[in-house]
């Protein structure tokens, strides 16, 4: 076992390293060694960020950064409202949460800041 990754194009195990590149002798595909390590680390993992660029995780506490009018109920979630124990989802609105006085709702990560 050489420890080198298989070719992403033909899945050959006979890859070799030349400088900063990996090369496949079977299909002549070349790719960057740094791109291969970054792709393996972040493969399939979406990163959720708040309005300030901080990484969000399930269970975090966030604060609303602007007044948000609610459709249907006519209420408004005021700026500065703290939301505890958020849950991140892969949807148009990335955060599912419960807000005291309003109940369960979904928020966009661009309108919150991590506390």
């Amino acid at each position: 076992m050489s420890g080198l990754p298989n070719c992403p194009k033909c899945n050959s195990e006979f890859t070799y390293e030349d400088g900063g590149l990996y090369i496949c002798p079977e299909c002549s595909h070349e790719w960057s060694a740094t791109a291969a390590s970054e792709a393996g680390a972040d493969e399939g993992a979406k990163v959720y960020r708040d309005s300030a660029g901080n990484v969000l995780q399930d269970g975090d506490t966030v604060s609303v950064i602007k007044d948000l009018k609610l459709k249907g109920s006519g209420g408004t979630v005021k700026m500065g409202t703290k939301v505890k124990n958020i849950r991140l989802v892969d949807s148009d609105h990335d955060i599912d949460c419960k807000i005291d006085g309003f109940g369960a709702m979904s928020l966009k990560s661009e309108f919150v800041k991590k506390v």
Side-chain angles (χ1 to χ4, degrees):
M1 182 131 219
S2 65
L4 296 176
N6 289 353
C7 175
K9 191 172 183 181
C10 70
N11 203 27
S12 171
E13 61 183 18
F14 301 111
T15 57
Y16 62 93
E17 190 172 8
D18 184 24
L21 294 175
Y22 290 126
I23 302 172
C24 175
E26 293 184 2
C27 69
S28 302
H29 180 67
E30 297 180 1
W31 69 99
S32 167
T34 57
S37 64
E38 290 173 3
D42 295 332
E43 189 173 333
K46 182 176 178 184
V47 177
Y48 297 91
R49 297 188 181 272
D50 67 359
S51 61
N54 299 319
V55 176
L56 295 173
Q57 297 178 341
D58 285 341
D60 282 346
T61 299
V62 296
S63 175
V64 178
I65 62 165
K66 69 179 242 176
D67 290 351
L68 300 174
K69 294 181 183 176
L70 302 178
K71 293 183 180 180
S73 68
T76 303
V77 177
K78 297 291 184 179
M79 178 176 71
T81 302
K82 287 190 179 180
V83 181
K84 297 178 184 177
N85 199 19
I86 64 170
R87 187 170 56 105
L88 301 172
V89 293
D90 190 20
S91 177
D92 181 36
H93 290 70
D94 336 59
I95 299 172
D96 278 347
C97 60
K98 288 184 182 177
I99 299 179
D100 294 337
F102 295 99
M105 66 176 50
S106 296
L107 300 172
K108 290 188 176 184
S109 59
E110 63 195 61
F111 298 122
V112 299
K113 184 175 98 174
K114 190 172 181 178
V115 177

